[in-house]
Amino acid sequence: MSAAAIVSIVAVALLGTSAARAADRGAADAVPVGAFRIDRTEVTVARFEAFLQSVGRRSTAEREGGGYEWGAGWERRAGWTFRAPSGAAARADDPAAHVSWFEAAEFCAWAGGRLPSRDEWAEAAYVERRARPPAPFVAGRSYPYPTGDTAQGANLSGAGDRYERHAPAGATAAGVNGLHEMAGNLWEWLADAQGDDRLTAGGSWWYGAAQTQASGMQWKPARFFAVYVGFRCAYPPG
């Protein structure tokens, strides 16, 4: 049985809940984009903690002694988990990092959704679907960056923003479709698979503007968890 099939079975088991309970897990704040909804921000520490408590286990990074950061290759950082992404205690509204693709997929099922596909994520990030978006966004227009015509306002390396590393969820300006941190902050897991790898989108605080574009998406091992990688969920239309 494939890893994707296993996750699907787990998802069905975790999804044994009412729509109201799923909404209580954060889906109610999702933003409508065409035929689906997507989280307004990256999944937070508080939401991921609620999931772990509900299913009764610790995260993989916690069980294995810490997540990874790039140094002389990928290096494990002792104690670095979603609770302390860069060694210091996280805020409840910080984005949950050090989360594997499997954990992200399970969380989304628990919350009443799923990981977005490449096409869904790209539509939400680059195509303005609001009927009357605030200036400077224009309904129906496609943009090169999730922030609009430029990457200005995203939490990126060398961007001159006030965040040395990750920013709290919703801290940067709203971009296309009113979504936050689709550009920069943390790479986000997508549903698309290529063997044992899964696609990530949006770049992170460690990268520059090029990685925030659709052409900058990257494949990563599904079991990988690092300081730069988080996720958000997609949901059926509300």
Side-chain angles (χ1 to χ4, degrees), residues 36-75:
F36 64 98
R37 294 175 296 139
I38 193 166
D39 281 327
R40 189 179 305 276
T41 70
E42 291 161 336
V43 171
T44 63
V45 167
R47 289 184 72 196
F48 195 64
E49 166 66 14
F51 159 69
L52 291 175
Q53 288 186 359
S54 177
V55 299
R57 69 169 183 266
R58 296 187 300 159
S59 70
T60 306
E62 290 175 299
R63 295 196 306 270
E64 296 187 4
Y68 290 87
E69 182 184 36
W70 183 260
W74 287 111
E75 299 175 349

Side-chain angles (χ1 to χ4, degrees), residues 127-231:
V127 185
E128 181 56 70
R129 293 302 188 192
R130 291 175 290 182
R132 296 179 179 82
F137 299 105
V138 177
R141 183 179 168 191
S142 295
Y143 292 88
Y145 301 94
T147 42
D149 287 319
T150 73
Q152 185 175 358
N155 178 23
L156 299 168
S157 176
D161 58 64
R162 66 182 188 274
Y163 302 105
E164 182 180 357
R165 292 193 167 220
H166 67 270
T172 65
V176 176
N177 291 308
L179 302 173
H180 295 268
E181 288 88 52
M182 292 286 275
N185 219 39
L186 298 184
W187 285 103
E188 298 182 11
W189 288 115
L190 303 183
D192 299 69
Q194 180 176 274
D196 292 332
D197 293 341
R198 300 295 184 271
L199 197 58
T200 60
S204 76
W205 54 263
W206 198 78
Y207 285 85
Q211 284 74 27
T212 72
Q213 297 184 287
S215 60
M217 295 182 184
Q218 294 184 0
W219 295 97
K220 296 178 175 63
R223 297 190 181 279
F224 183 63
F225 43 90
V227 67
Y228 321 100
V229 186
F231 68 104

Side-chain angles (χ1 to χ4, degrees), residues 93-119:
D93 62 347
D94 281 341
H98 298 290
V99 176
S100 74
W101 181 88
F102 294 99
E103 291 172 307
E106 288 185 41
F107 172 94
C108 289
W110 172 84
R114 54 184 167 70
L115 287 173
S117 69
R118 178 206 299 256
D119 290 344

